[in-house]
Amino acid sequence: MPPELKAEVNIMPKVTQGDLESLPPEAREFIESNAKLCQPENIHICDGSEEENKKILDIMVEQGMIKKLSKYENCWLALTDPRDVARIESKTVIITQEQRDTTPIPKTGTSQLGRWMSEEDFEKAFNTRFPGCMQGRTMYVIPFSMGPIGSPLSKIGIELTDSPYVVASMRIMTRMGTDALKALSNGEFVKCLHSVGCPLPLKEPLINNWPCNPELTLIAHLPDRREIISFGSGYGGNSLLGKKCFALRIASRIAKEEGWLAEHMLILGITNPEGEKKYFAAAFPSACGKTNLAMMNPSLPGWKIECVGDDIAWMKFDEQGHLRAINPENGFFGVAPGTSVKTNPNAIKTIFKNTIFTNVAETSDGGVYWEGIDEPLPPGVTLTSWKNKDWTPDNGEPCAHPNSRFCTPASQCPIMDPAWESPEGVPIEGIIFGGRRPAGVPLVYEAFNWQHGVFIGAAMRSEATAAAEHKGKIIMHDPFAMRPFFGYNFGKYLAHWLSMAHRPAARLPRIFHVNWFRKDSQGKFLWPGYGENSRVLEWMFNRIQGKASAKPTAIGYIPADAALNLKGLEDVNLTELFDISKEFWEKEVEEIKQYLEGQVNADLPYEIEREMLALEMRIKQL
C-alpha cells in the first residue's frame, strides 16, 4: 500500500454506483484506504456497461473535455493541455530497494535503460501529491482484465482514477467492468492509482478544460508490491495504467518471475495461398510502421494477413514447447498522423465509429484531420488545429500534434484474426526486430541461432520518435523496442531471454531483423514498403518451412539470389538494399559495443559479449 499517512479526514465518500461491501477484502481495502487519502466526493465502481459509458461521455461533454464529432458514429474529440501530450520518460520511475534491481549501473553517467527512484524519495513525492488530490471529484474504480477474461495468460488490475477520460478509454483498451470483477474473485490484482492532480475548486483555470498538473507529474511503478501510482497527467500513456505501465513494466517483472515474456510486440497471422498459416511477433520502436504491419493488406496475390494485436504481446511456452502469445489489450491506441488509405487502409476502416480521438485537427463539417491523412478537404471545409485555433497550411506548424491518437476497439478492425481472443494464445514461429535505419542496414536478415537473435534484439537502433519528449532525428539505441518499458534490470532481462533456449522441449521461433527505411544517396527510399513488405514476410514464412534459400553474411542470413519474390515490382535495387559495408558495420559494432558495455556493464551476459565479439571478427573479415 502507499506510505502510511496520518489522515485528518476519515469520512468515507458516498458510493454512487456499485457495492463496496460485495468486493473481495483486498480490493475493498485498496479502494477505502485510497479514498480516505485522496478524499474524492464520490466513489463510482465501473460496470463497463453501455449505459455507464454514455453517462461518462455526457459528463465529459458537459465539462468541455470532449466534443462529439457529428460526421461519424459515436466518435469524440479531446484536446489536451499542450503541456500534457506524450509519455514523459524523465518523470517515469521504478521504485526498488536497490537501484540495480531496476537498471544496470552504467560505467559512467546515468542509466538510459530506465529511471530508478529510492523508496525514501518516492515516499516524500507521494506524500506531497496524493493527500486530498481528488477533492470535489469522483473516484472511479475500474476493474479490468489484461487479456481475454479467464485466459490462463491474462492478469487482473484495478485502477482508481478521477478522470472520466481514463474510464472511457480503459473501456476501449481493456476488458473492463463486472466480468473483470467476477474473474478477480479473491485472486491477486495489480493496484493502479491515478489522479490528474487538480482538486476542486481549481486554483487556476484549466487549458482546453483538460485537468493536469505538469509541474508535479510522476508515473511510478512498485514491482515488489505490484502497484502503479500515476499523478498529474491525463495523457493515455501516463494515465491508462493497463497499457505500458502494467502490460510492459509491471508485466515484464511478473513474466521474469513466472517464466514468460511481456513484450512491446505486434502479433500477426499470415496465410499462404495453400492455406498454411503462421504467426509472427514483431518489435519496432515508435514511428516504424508497427500498426501498419499488423494490419497490412499484402500485395502478393493469394496471401492473407490477420491482426492479433498491434502493440503488446504476452508469450509463454506451453507443454508441447510452442511459444503461445496473447494480445493483452482490447483496443488500438494508435498514432493518427501518417495514417491514411495508402499507409493503413484497415486502420482507416476501424477508426470511424466508437472512437476517442485526442489532439487531432477538426474539420468544420464535424470530422477529423491530420498530417499524412492524404485526403483533400472538400471545398469550403475549414480546419481547427489541435490547439483549438483556425488553421491553414501557411501556419508553419502541424494541424494535429505529431503524437495525436485514436483510441478504438480492436474488434472493429476488418482483419482481426479469428483466434485473437483465444484463451490459449496463438503459436509464434517467427520473431521480427526492426528499426528505422536510413543507411547501412539491409532490408532483412535472419539470426544464425537463438543467442544471436537475442543479441540482434539487444543491438536494435532506430531514428528517434515523437512518442516521447525527444526532439529531432538521431539514431537511438532501443533494445527490443523496450528501452522506455523495461520493468527491471536490462542485463537480467537479456539473461531471461537467453534462458528460453534451455526450456525443455522449447520450439524456439526463428529471429529476423528488418529495415523498410533504407535510402539511396539521393535520400529516396530503396524499398516501397507497406503492402510490399509481404514479400519479406513470404521469405521468412518459407524459411521457417525450410523452403527458402539464404546465404550467410557477416551479420546473418540474407535471401539468396532470386529467393525474394519481386514479381511485378520494378526498379528495386537489391544490390544496394542488401549491401553490407565494412566501414558502416565497423562503426555500428563499435557503437553497439560502447552502448552495451557502458550501459549494461557488469550485468551484460557473457553470451551477448560472445556474440558481439563474433560479429566484430566477421566484420573484420569482410
Side-chain angles (χ1 to χ4, degrees):
M1 283 315 305
E4 288 300 312
L5 280 160
K6 294 168 188 64
E8 299 297 318
V9 185
N10 266 334
I11 304 155
M12 272 301 287
K14 191 169 126 213
V15 179
T16 53
Q17 178 173 301
D19 177 16
L20 268 179
E21 308 292 321
S22 67
L23 298 180
E26 200 183 344
R28 186 175 158 186
E29 151 63 18
F30 171 59
I31 296 161
E32 288 179 347
S33 62
N34 281 298
K36 284 171 187 167
L37 169 76
C38 302
Q39 299 168 23
E41 195 166 301
N42 307 305
I43 295 174
H44 172 118
I45 300 168
C46 297
D47 60 18
S49 66
E50 190 52 60
E51 186 188 356
E52 173 184 75
N53 188 47
K54 284 199 175 84
K55 281 182 191 161
I56 296 287
L57 293 167
D58 286 348
I59 287 166
M60 285 196 280
V61 169
E62 207 176 294
Q63 292 175 355
M65 260 187 108
I66 61 168
K67 64 188 291 191
K68 195 167 192 342
L69 292 161
S70 56
K71 196 170 174 177
Y72 319 117
E73 183 191 333
N74 192 31
C75 285
W76 310 84
L77 174 63
L79 301 179
T80 72
D81 183 315
R83 299 168 301 170
D84 190 21
V85 292
R87 283 185 295 104
I88 310 175
E89 286 175 25
S90 56
K91 296 180 176 187
T92 302
V93 298
I94 294 178
I95 290 97
T96 47
Q97 270 186 323
E98 301 295 327
Q99 181 177 346
R100 202 166 163 186
D101 294 333
T102 293
T103 66
I105 308 300
K107 275 188 181 163
T108 55
T110 54
S111 175
Q112 296 166 25
L113 291 161
R115 192 170 282 264
W116 177 73
M117 184 184 262
S118 71
E119 291 174 332
E120 299 71 38
D121 286 351
F122 173 67
E123 191 157 339
K124 279 183 220 144
F126 185 91
N127 291 343
T128 55
R129 286 166 173 79
F130 279 91
C133 67
M134 296 187 184
Q135 280 171 0
R137 297 188 181 276
T138 296
M139 175 190 274
Y140 297 99
V141 177
I142 307 173
F144 63 96
S145 175
M146 298 309 290
I149 287 177
S151 160
L153 295 167
S154 296
K155 301 279 176 197
I156 301 288
I158 295 178
E159 176 164 0
L160 311 179
T161 180
D162 52 8
S163 165
Y165 173 87
V166 168
V167 179
S169 304
M170 285 289 281
R171 184 173 184 266
I172 295 170
M173 292 306 300
T174 70
R175 285 100 176 152
M176 178 269 259
T178 308
D179 289 347
L181 255 190
K182 281 181 195 152
L184 168 66
S185 63
N186 273 317
E188 284 185 357
F189 63 96
V190 172
K191 299 173 175 139
C192 308
L193 172 63
H194 168 257
S195 173
V196 292
C198 291
L200 298 174
L202 293 168
K203 293 188 175 69
E204 50 189 70
L206 298 177
I207 299 171
N208 283 338
N209 298 307
W210 181 264
C212 62
N213 189 338
E215 285 75 32
L216 289 176
T217 294
L218 184 68
I219 301 96
H221 306 72
L222 293 86
D224 295 321
R225 305 201 311 221
R226 306 285 193 253
E227 286 181 33
I228 302 158
I229 292 173
S230 172
F231 186 90
S233 170
Y235 167 76
N238 306 323
S239 67
L240 311 182
L241 301 183
K243 195 159 179 57
K244 309 293 195 194
C245 298
F246 180 164
L248 289 177
R249 295 191 194 98
I250 294 290
S252 65
R253 168 67 187 271
I254 297 173
K256 178 183 179 284
E257 291 169 19
E258 296 181 355
W260 50 281
L261 300 165
E263 299 299 327
H264 189 205
M265 292 181 175
L266 64 88
I267 308 166
L268 61 80
I270 178 163
T271 308
N272 71 6
E274 290 71 55
E276 297 161 314
K277 185 168 195 174
K278 297 194 180 303
Y279 289 95
F280 286 82
F284 295 94
S286 302
C288 288
K290 197 168 161 206
T291 302
N292 295 351
L293 181 63
M295 299 185 191
M296 184 211 293
N297 271 347
S299 61
L300 286 179
W303 286 78
K304 182 163 75 170
I305 284 179
E306 290 165 302
C307 177
V308 176
D310 79 325
D311 196 37
I312 296 172
W314 287 0
M315 304 186 285
K316 187 177 187 178
F317 283 102
D318 67 14
E319 282 168 8
Q320 287 73 48
H322 296 289
L323 186 61
R324 292 268 172 187
I326 62 166
N327 166 14
E329 300 191 292
N330 195 41
F332 302 124
F333 185 66
V335 174
T339 305
S340 69
V341 170
K342 182 193 167 200
T343 62
N344 195 336
N346 289 310
I348 292 291
K349 288 174 187 160
T350 304
I351 60 181
F352 292 119
K353 61 178 184 192
N354 306 317
T355 296
I356 299 170
F357 293 94
T358 303
N359 288 341
V360 300
E362 185 187 3
T363 60
S364 55
D365 61 348
V368 290
Y369 207 77
W370 49 75
E371 277 61 36
I373 198 169
D374 270 358
E375 292 282 327
L377 283 173
V381 171
T382 57
L383 282 184
T384 304
S385 78
W386 75 279
K387 292 182 175 173
N388 211 6
K389 296 186 175 128
D390 294 340
W391 188 90
T392 64
D394 324 330
N395 277 35
E397 58 177 22
C399 64
H401 187 274
N403 193 39
S404 52
R405 298 280 171 161
F406 53 78
C407 180
T408 195
S411 58
Q412 293 178 183
C413 175
I415 60 157
M416 283 315 275
D417 194 274
W420 86 276
E421 293 192 281
S422 146
E424 66 275 8
V426 297
I428 300 296
E429 292 187 64
I431 289 172
I432 304 168
F433 295 120
R436 182 180 275 270
R437 299 302 303 272
V441 179
L443 175 66
V444 59
Y445 60 97
E446 180 187 340
F448 294 125
N449 52 44
W450 182 258
Q451 287 76 8
H452 181 225
V454 175
F455 168 73
I456 289 170
M460 276 172 67
R461 302 173 72 210
S462 190
E463 266 189 351
T465 154
E469 72 266 44
H470 302 287
K471 303 283 188 289
K473 292 199 171 180
I474 48 166
I475 303 286
M476 282 178 71
H477 292 271
D478 194 352
F480 289 78
M482 280 283 284
R483 188 192 52 74
F485 310 121
F486 292 118
Y488 63 99
N489 180 314
F490 174 54
K492 302 284 185 279
Y493 168 97
L494 285 172
H496 182 56
W497 263 80
L498 290 163
S499 76
M500 296 297 149
H502 310 304
R503 302 252 144 177
R507 301 183 189 198
L508 295 169
R510 295 212 186 194
I511 297 178
F512 302 88
H513 187 284
V514 299
N515 173 29
W516 320 127
F517 303 100
R518 195 167 185 175
K519 292 178 178 177
D520 64 16
S521 52
Q522 270 72 58
K524 288 201 176 79
F525 288 117
L526 286 163
W527 180 250
Y530 305 117
E532 303 298 357
N533 294 339
S534 56
R535 298 168 186 275
V536 175
L537 293 179
E538 177 193 36
W539 179 74
M540 295 176 188
F541 188 103
N542 291 335
R543 284 293 291 160
I544 293 164
Q545 284 200 323
K547 288 180 182 171
S549 55
K551 54 187 180 191
T553 70
I555 63 171
Y557 296 111
I558 63 170
D561 301 337
L564 195 63
N565 175 359
L566 296 180
K567 200 174 168 188
L569 261 196
E570 287 167 24
D571 302 330
V572 170
N573 185 336
L574 282 185
T575 314
E576 242 185 302
L577 260 179
F578 284 98
D579 178 58
I580 295 164
S581 141
K582 182 172 185 174
E583 190 189 358
F584 173 88
W585 277 93
E586 279 176 339
K587 279 197 198 116
E588 185 76 0
V589 172
E590 199 43 48
E591 292 265 359
I592 293 163
K593 198 170 161 182
Q594 277 181 4
Y595 182 75
L596 292 177
E597 287 180 354
Q599 284 290 317
V600 195
N601 198 2
D603 291 316
L604 190 64
Y606 78 92
E607 296 96 327
I608 299 297
E609 286 189 61
R610 202 174 56 200
E611 288 297 336
M612 205 154 54
L613 221 69
L615 175 61
E616 202 171 12
M617 295 303 293
R618 295 193 300 267
I619 299 296
K620 272 192 182 137
Q621 287 160 12
L622 278 177

